[in-house]
Amino acid sequence: MSKEENTANRPDNTAFTQQRLPAWQPMLSAGIVIPGFVIIGVAFIGIGVALFVTSQNIQVLEKDYTGIETNSSCFKCTNPRVKNCNCTINFSLDKLFEGPVFVYYGLSNYFQNYRKYGASKDAAQLTGDLAYFTEPSTSCVPYQRDAKDKPIVPCGSIANSMFNDTFKLFQIVNSGNVAVPLDGKGIAWWTDYNIKYRNPTTNPLKNAFNDTVKPIFWPRPAYELDTTNAANNGFINQDFLVWMRRSALPNFRKLYRRITEGEYAKGLPAGDYALVIGYNYPVKAFDGRKKVVFSNVSWMGGKNQFLGIAYLVIGSLCVVMSIVMLIVYAKFKFPDEE
Amino acid sequence: MLAIGRRPLRPSSRPSSATIGLCPPSTQVWNFLPKNLFEQFRRIANFYFLIIFLVQVIVDTPTSPVTSGLPLFFVITVTAIKQGYEDWLRHKADNEVNKYPVTVLENGRRMGTESEKIKVGDVVEVNEDETFPCDLILLQSTRDDDTCFVTTASLDGESNHKTHYTVPDTEKDLDSLSATIECEQPQPDLYKFVGRMHIYKTDREPEIRSLGPENLLLKGATLKNTQRICGVAVYTGMETKMALNYQGKSQKRSAVEKSINAFLLVYLCILVSKALVCTTLKYVWQSKPGQDEPWYNQKTQREKETNLYLKMFTDFLSFMVLFNFIIPVSMYVTVEMQKFLGSFFITWDRDFYDPEIQEGALVNTSDLNEELGQVEYVFTDKTGTLTQNNMEFIECCIDGFQYKYRDAVSELDGFSATDGPVSKLQEKAGKEREELFLRALCLCHTVQVKEPTGRGQDHTDSMAGVDGMEGCPPPHEQTGFIASSPDEVALVKGAMRYGFTFLGMESKKMKIMNRSNAIETYDLLHVLNFDPVRRRMSVIVRSKSGDALLFCKGADSSIFPRVRQEEVEKIRVHVERNATEGYRTLCVAYKKLSPEEYARADADLQAARLALQDREEKLIAVYNQVEAGMTLIGATAVEDRLQEEAAETMEALQGAGIKVWVLTGDKMETAKSTCYACRLFQRGTELLELTVRTLEDGVRKREERLHDLLLEYHKKAVQDVPPTKPGGSRGWSKPSQDFGFIIDGASLSMVFNSSESSSSHYKNLFLQICQNCTTVLCCRMAPLQKAQIVKMVKCSKGSPITLSIGDGANDVSMILEAHVGIGIKGKEGRQAVRNSDYAIPKLKHLKKLLLGHGHLYYVRIAHLVQYFFYKNLCFILPQFLYQFFCGYSQQPLYDAAYLTMYNICFTSMPILAYSLLEQHICVEVLLDNATLYRSIAKNAMLRWVPFFYWTLLGVFHGLLFFFGVRFLFGNPALQANGQVFGNWSYGTIVFTVLVFTVTFKLALDTRHWTWINHFVIWGSLCFYVIFSFFWGGIIWPFLKQQRLYYVFAHMLSSASAWLVIVLLILLSLLPDILLVVLRKPLGPRARQRQAGESGAGGPKSSAQPLLMRTFSDESNTVV
């Protein structure tokens, strides 16, 4: 061997320094891509068919109750001067609406994703921190304090504008109207209900709200949101939680109730129904629409044709592409693999 | 009492070292941070982000200042760390010299101190093997002959021992010496120094001694072979020549950086127009009744009161802030890291290691890595670059008789005449002439005999250009010769073979051993140094008999006019024959000086040496006067071999579409033969010559002839050739006729300096001709002319990327001028290496540097840049589109954490790893197929078309991400339990698709998957998933809003979200996959890889290149 000192300055002979690290050098060749495309295409078409069929099987019943048309039963309620207005929408099902049925309300042209609107809340207050009851965050302005300078709890635009229409569903049978029980539990995220939002530990809850006022547009203070269930009040009221999770787009729907109890748990049988709406929420001012949606859900959630169609299209596209590639390669007689 | 002081005697000039002490060359620890920050914010991009950050702090903006503050902080920190590291290295180097303990003589006592505390005028004592702490004038040496030896290895890399002399005739006793020194302003030239010493004696007029570089010991040099010296400090600290040489390297910017800036501008326009569009639409939208202030979202009092235009402006700023991520904040830092780390691969490359000099490649700047892949013109020096500068004595001619040294087998009287045409009649010249010639060879040089030190002799020999020892068994001992030019060693050794051995010098006496083994001594009276203008050197010696003899050797062109003409012809034949055979020739002449002549010459020389002003000019005038009327004795021929694989390298470069220009100070014939040997000129190449010879053909004036020739050549090379498509890398084919262009220095200066009006016209013609020639040979170039040519090409149309490669001081100007300067660690010192951007040991390494490393670096960085813009475009486009769905309210689509982390954590590492490790084509294939280099020529990957493609891809992906999820959210009830998703879920789904797509896109482009790529790509994705879980899984106490709480987990619990993510990722990548697959059968370079693979591993041909003989009297070599 040569002398030691001759190699003193010599760079290390490691695979890394010599850029000779063992490497996998994938080449996207037709031999891989064409079968790959076929496989992906077939798989996508399969998924697409499954999605499409699933989506097709989901029953949806949408009822717009804004009351724009003068002949609509809710037209009378659109006048802002009318208080505690009720209107009824009748509909009939000619076959069983399979359960469990989910009741959504939908709003359109409603910008819950408006930035200032979204920032207008006090997260610390909503975790039950009493310090923020007396001093709500300035982000809540102009719903931080009322005209008498009393702190608003919960403060901010989001809470203030909480959706407050109510729905009651009746099945019209010969003997009269049978109320369909609507289940308000489990409509908000579990984590929101159990961890993220917290009521103050004060007992009774009402005392925590001393020296505060309810949001301006609310009919009742937060601790009386649900008169039937004491545990569903304050910041962990399910309707409140659903509302507080801001929608992504200006046309949205939010879960209102589920029909999971009693004889209707299996679904709404064919027949006539009356939906009694407590019409409180004004949307005409900003050209909005309100609707109520009955839907059942599948493993993929609510009805959504987009996914199924998209999968079918992409799947077929893949198959077509693989055929095109095959033709190209055959035509150019390109010897791809050794 | 010590009385060496220094007074400024010339009031017109500032004393050279008025500021005593050391100003630190770089920053200190305490001011590093502010200084560094200032430097960094001068960068336009960083400044931009600072402004954005400030806007976020001041104005109510949609995102918190953290989102842009944190990435900016990250970028600044990384850059500061990198620069701090470089500073630290510099500091370490500085401290080694600054804190060095030294001994200063003060009032006759020896005092220990630190080197940085030395003041001008201090007398410093330095021991053997110590480094000089400042620039010193040598006053006293322990050697008998008042000399000392130093090595300047750390200054210019020349490890030979240089002799320095004490100031003549000073007292041996320093205590009684009283003197002042006058010297010039500090200047960086290591080899120039002018000064004067006034010695005061109590009873006499002050005596004046001239000081030159031979008296100056430079800081950084090391004392050798001398026990101890004393010297007086003349320059200290920043004024030392070493410090002056240390700094001031001009910044070179790469073309890639220019592309980046152009793209940045485009993106800035996109950003501003996005913000403008949104602002406008916002106010248009709000003007509709009910939209501006719906009851559920009332404005605050302050908002209502704000002026409309002010509101518009803040809205505009808010949009800018929201979209500012489109300008990739981390790109600069990633590019910088890539360059910095990537350059290590050059230093680490074992192929660049040269066992002979035991060094590998050197990277002086990492800014230009990718430029190596873009070179269009290579300007190469000849001697030492194309040729080895490894001289071997071949033959000599004495009085017209040829003496060829046939074999290495040494006969001490090994003269043998060959059957040269001239020497047929008479075989040998007279013995007297022979011996005179050999004595001339033995005396006329500046070679030193290396004193055997007993250790590491071979080691240093190989560095100093002493070679061929094995070939001739030396007569007495293992003697080594040291010289700054290999030619001199070759000549002295040549003389040794013929029986005259130079034994060395002792106290200005040169000793030689003649054929009869008798020792002759000569007094060395004067050395008339070599310089490139005179192209000769002389010595004046006094022989035993008392005759003053002048021996002169030099280039034929400079000797022939100075000798008696009747001798010239017979020697000229030899010289010309040798030249055509490719040897470097030197002529030797002598002259006997009569005592009067000598006395006059001596006086003139002394006077000129003492001159403070115009010393150089005066000396040359005296030299010219003395070196006249000489007698020509003979000529020598020395062989300079071609560099290893020179021809292969040149061929590869030409194959890569690079035009090679040879710029040399050498003769045309020599250079031409070298070009043929390097296959730069081929047999079919038609040579267009524009030299003094062709210009003087006619009877007309040179100017006219120049005009005609230029037009003629232009017609031939430019007009008659069918134009090749510019920039067409695909259809590049060799023009039917190769042209080679030859021009010499004189003609070139005519082209450049002819009358005003025609100059630019000529220049234009010249340039056009040159651009159409495969090879251009410029001979007889002065260093400055080399730079001129480089500059001309650099500034020509299309501003091609130029590369200069050279090894000598004369190449420095062109190395500095070119886009990329490459130094060869040759034998002519380290000046070229010091000034270069990259230094390699051998010419053959250029091939891998350009075709391998350069190509890879370019592809890597080009991809890096395009990818960066792409990934930020498709990152921010959904956020822009979202504005159309949220009432133009600047609602961010992504959470602040995602906005912040996207560029610095989720997507930065894979591209960095890619840009360091990617080998889209493996190196062997790149080296084998030089034509691959053409595929990236002219900045192919960073032109507007690929940029447009990437932008389009980014837009496509952005649209897809946003609208894909938008359609999914047509019904936001996406969970199996019927619950709905909100806006943060929307953003998270888009962001997840984004991160995965962008990473997979990179994975798709990666052709070289090492474990690092795997680790980083999959690691980044895992990190994203884990981070998202973690970020959403905990109630973070420092966050005001827990916006993402369990959003990610809920997303994963939804089958629809999964399906849409998979769908969108696949759909995004589909076009890319299709493109890759379909380009293969339709594209041009389909099968290169496979073709290369079979040939991989076998490119290192063991065949030694043709030993081409070439000669030179090139100006740069010290003859």
Side-chain angles (χ1 to χ4, degrees), chain A residues 48-66:
Chain A
V49 167
L51 282 170
F52 192 74
V53 170
T54 313
S55 190
Q56 283 297 315
N57 287 338
I58 294 175
Q59 291 161 284
V60 177
L61 182 74
E62 281 191 26
K63 289 286 167 194
D64 189 309
Y65 68 95
T66 323

Side-chain angles (χ1 to χ4, degrees), chain B residues 460-534:
Chain B
T460 36
D461 275 0
S462 63
M463 303 282 290
V466 179
D467 42 63
M469 294 295 289
E470 66 285 338
C472 58
H476 298 296
E477 61 205 280
Q478 194 77 15
T479 320
F481 294 113
I482 302 164
S484 40
S485 155
D487 296 63
E488 295 210 306
V489 178
L491 291 180
V492 172
K493 280 188 172 167
M496 198 158 96
R497 287 180 188 162
Y498 294 130
F500 275 79
T501 311
F502 175 60
L503 292 178
M505 226 167 53
E506 264 168 39
S507 55
K508 297 218 160 192
K509 282 191 201 308
M510 295 178 108
K511 284 200 283 191
I512 57 173
M513 189 165 69
N514 63 15
R515 283 197 197 153
S516 46
N517 281 353
I519 292 182
E520 302 172 13
T521 36
Y522 293 88
D523 287 334
L524 179 62
L525 301 171
H526 286 286
V527 177
L528 283 57
N529 281 323
F530 175 85
D531 73 62
V533 183
R534 291 194 306 135

Side-chain angles (χ1 to χ4, degrees), chain B residues 1030-1050:
Chain B
F1030 199 56
W1031 185 243
I1034 292 173
I1035 296 278
W1036 294 97
F1038 57 86
L1039 283 182
K1040 239 176 83 186
Q1041 304 188 19
Q1042 314 291 336
R1043 302 195 284 210
L1044 282 201
Y1045 190 65
Y1046 266 84
V1047 164
F1048 192 74
H1050 270 101

Side-chain angles (χ1 to χ4, degrees), chain A residues 6 18-19 104 115 248 300 311, chain B residues 348 353 882 890 978 1056 1059:
Chain A
N6 271 357
Q18 301 311 307
Q19 304 197 65
Y104 297 88
R115 176 167 72 90
M300 56 172 283
Y311 264 85
Chain B
W348 285 337
Y353 177 76
Y882 192 56
Q890 302 122 26
S1056 296
L1059 288 171

Side-chain angles (χ1 to χ4, degrees), chain B residues 547-561:
Chain B
D547 297 329
L549 293 169
L550 177 133
F551 292 107
C552 178
K553 69 172 189 233
D556 52 334
S557 58
S558 66
I559 298 281
F560 285 164

Side-chain angles (χ1 to χ4, degrees), chain A residues 135-303:
Chain A
E135 277 298 326
S137 156
T138 49
S139 61
C140 290
V141 177
Y143 303 105
Q144 185 191 19
R145 291 169 185 279
D146 72 350
K148 291 181 203 130
D149 206 29
K150 284 208 170 182
I152 297 173
V153 179
C155 73
S157 300
I158 315 180
N160 187 52
S161 61
M162 184 176 153
F163 186 75
N164 57 2
D165 282 359
T166 55
F167 305 100
K168 289 192 181 96
L169 184 64
F170 298 96
Q171 187 181 14
I172 303 166
V173 288
N174 302 335
S175 51
N177 292 353
V178 180
V180 179
L182 299 179
D183 176 12
K185 288 196 284 290
I187 56 170
W189 286 16
W190 187 91
T191 46
D192 285 355
Y193 183 72
N194 289 294
I195 301 160
K196 193 173 165 185
Y197 291 85
R198 293 277 55 133
N199 278 329
T201 46
T202 324
N203 205 5
L205 183 61
K206 185 178 188 300
N207 290 354
F209 290 81
N210 288 340
D211 289 326
T212 67
V213 293
K214 65 177 175 59
I216 294 159
F217 294 154
W218 283 22
R220 291 185 300 276
Y223 50 88
E224 285 171 2
L225 280 175
D226 189 349
T227 45
T228 58
N229 180 3
N232 192 23
N233 271 315
F235 305 141
I236 55 169
N237 175 274
Q238 296 266 351
D239 287 324
F240 179 67
L241 294 177
V242 167
W243 184 253
M244 292 303 282
R245 182 152 295 279
R246 296 196 289 141
S247 70
L249 298 166
N251 300 334
F252 60 91
R253 62 175 71 166
K254 284 178 186 279
L255 189 52
Y256 182 70
R257 292 291 183 266
R258 296 182 299 163
I259 303 171
T260 53
E261 290 162 25
E263 50 187 304
Y264 295 101
K266 289 200 197 75
L268 298 174
D272 293 330
Y273 290 86
L275 182 70
V276 180
I277 299 154
Y279 195 112
N280 302 314
Y281 207 70
V283 294
K284 245 185 113 178
F286 52 85
D287 203 19
R289 292 282 186 282
K290 300 195 283 188
K291 65 184 175 190
V292 66
V293 182
F294 296 89
S295 167
N296 45 26
V297 298
S298 67
W299 53 270
M300 56 172 283
K303 191 180 181 85

